[in-house]
């Protein structure tokens, strides 16, 4: 009787191997053979998932989006109602959610690396344009939702242009992700977190101070 292979477990195994190769070699140099060797599978097994290197690159990006999206949904569920929490805690929770997009550990570093390599390839390969645009739009949707929730809860300064702040926050996350992947010895995970939290703090409503007696 042939051995049963859990397709979901095999898919996760292949994705993990794929991400490790991309981090070492770069997405454009990642071949089906290299991923098969990393996953300790024969090339025929891998072709159940990819027919070509282009399929592999698209699969890598979609897998990264699926992984990050799943974690973000879990994070949103844990946060619950921001308005019921102190302002400082609201900002910390929002920063923690957004930090899922930053390379703060091995898993997220691999994801951000795939993201950067794929978007570099999408610049000259129209086959990847839709997926790249989907990622960009999804990031902005997330930024806007986080800022809107903070605004509704009263954590942000009144009168902010949330469309503009969405672009500022997106640019900040993109810049931190790129710098932390390229120069981890310069920009540490803690520094990334501190910069993000400081930015959100700058958008927040000033804390009220009790009147002092004279």
């Amino acid at each position: 009787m042939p051995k049963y292979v859990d397709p979901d477990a095999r898919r996760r195994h292949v994705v993990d191997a794929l991400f490790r190769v991309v981090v070492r070699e770069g997405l454009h140099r990642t071949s089906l053979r290299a991923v098969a060797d990393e996953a300790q599978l024969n090339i025929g097994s891998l072709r159940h998932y990819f027919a070509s290197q282009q399929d592999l690159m698209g699969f890598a990006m979609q897998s990264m989006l699926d992984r990050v999206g799943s974690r973000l949904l879990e994070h949103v569920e844990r946060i619950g109602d921001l308005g019921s929490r102190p302002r400082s805690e609201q900002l910390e929770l929002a920063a923690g959610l957004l930090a899922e997009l930053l390379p703060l550990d091995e898993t997220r570093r691999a994801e951000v690396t795939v993201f950067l390599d794929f978007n570099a390839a999408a610049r000259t390969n129209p086959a990847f344009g839709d997926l790249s645009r989907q990622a960009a739009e999804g990031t902005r949707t997330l930024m806007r939702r986080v800022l809107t929730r903070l605004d509704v809860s009263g954590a942000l300064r009144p009168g902010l242009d949330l469309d503009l702040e969405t672009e500022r926050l997106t640019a900040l996350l993109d810049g931190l992700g790129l710098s932390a992947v390229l120069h981890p010895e310069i920009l540490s995970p803690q520094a990334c977190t501190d910069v993000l939290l400081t930015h959100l703090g700058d958008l927040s409503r000033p804390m009220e101070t009790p009147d002092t007696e004279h």
Side-chain angles (χ1 to χ4, degrees):
M1 176 178 284
K3 181 180 179 181
Y4 171 74
V5 176
D6 182 336
D8 290 334
R10 172 60 59 83
R11 183 174 182 273
R12 290 192 297 271
H13 178 66
V14 170
V15 170
D16 287 342
L18 169 61
F19 280 17
R20 290 194 299 271
V21 175
V22 171
V23 170
R24 287 199 311 267
E25 306 293 336
L27 185 57
H28 68 290
R29 295 172 61 186
T30 296
S31 66
L32 295 178
R33 172 62 64 188
V35 176
D37 290 346
E38 182 73 23
Q40 297 184 327
L41 298 171
N42 63 58
I43 193 71
S45 296
L46 203 65
R47 290 190 185 279
H48 287 297
Y49 300 97
F50 318 112
S52 66
Q53 185 183 32
Q54 181 166 300
D55 287 346
L56 181 149
M57 292 174 71
F59 181 83
M61 184 62 170
Q62 188 62 63
S63 298
M64 188 279 295
L65 295 176
D66 292 344
R67 281 186 170 195
V68 174
S70 178
R71 286 206 312 273
L72 288 172
L73 287 175
E74 293 176 2
H75 209 117
V76 168
E77 290 297 320
R78 290 198 301 270
I79 286 177
D81 180 16
L82 283 176
S84 64
R85 303 170 185 269
R87 187 178 311 154
S88 60
E89 186 177 350
Q90 292 181 43
L91 298 178
E92 289 174 0
L93 288 169
L97 187 153
L98 295 173
E100 291 296 338
L101 303 178
L102 293 174
L104 304 186
D105 54 31
E106 183 177 349
T107 296
R108 285 175 284 183
R109 178 171 297 280
E111 291 166 351
V112 175
T113 300
V114 169
F115 177 81
L116 293 172
D117 279 11
F118 181 87
N119 279 292
R123 188 182 68 81
T124 55
N125 189 333
F128 301 138
D130 287 345
L131 196 52
S132 178
R133 185 166 51 255
Q134 175 190 329
E137 291 171 350
T139 298
R140 283 164 173 77
T141 298
L142 173 67
M143 302 299 141
R144 180 59 188 253
R145 286 178 178 173
V146 170
L147 290 172
T148 298
R149 291 187 69 177
L150 289 171
D151 190 41
V152 169
S153 70
L156 299 186
R157 298 196 313 270
L160 288 176
D161 182 338
L162 293 189
D163 288 336
L164 178 61
E165 295 304 334
T166 294
E167 292 303 323
R168 285 217 305 159
L169 187 55
T170 301
L172 177 67
L173 268 291
D174 284 347
L176 289 173
L178 176 62
S179 293
V181 164
L182 293 179
H183 306 293
E185 73 284 0
I186 296 176
L187 187 62
S188 69
Q190 186 60 55
C192 287
T193 302
D194 291 344
V195 169
L196 177 56
L197 190 55
T198 298
H199 178 76
L200 293 178
D202 288 344
L203 301 180
S204 70
R205 182 190 298 266
M207 298 292 290
E208 295 181 0
T209 56
D211 293 335
T212 56
E213 295 183 0
H214 298 286

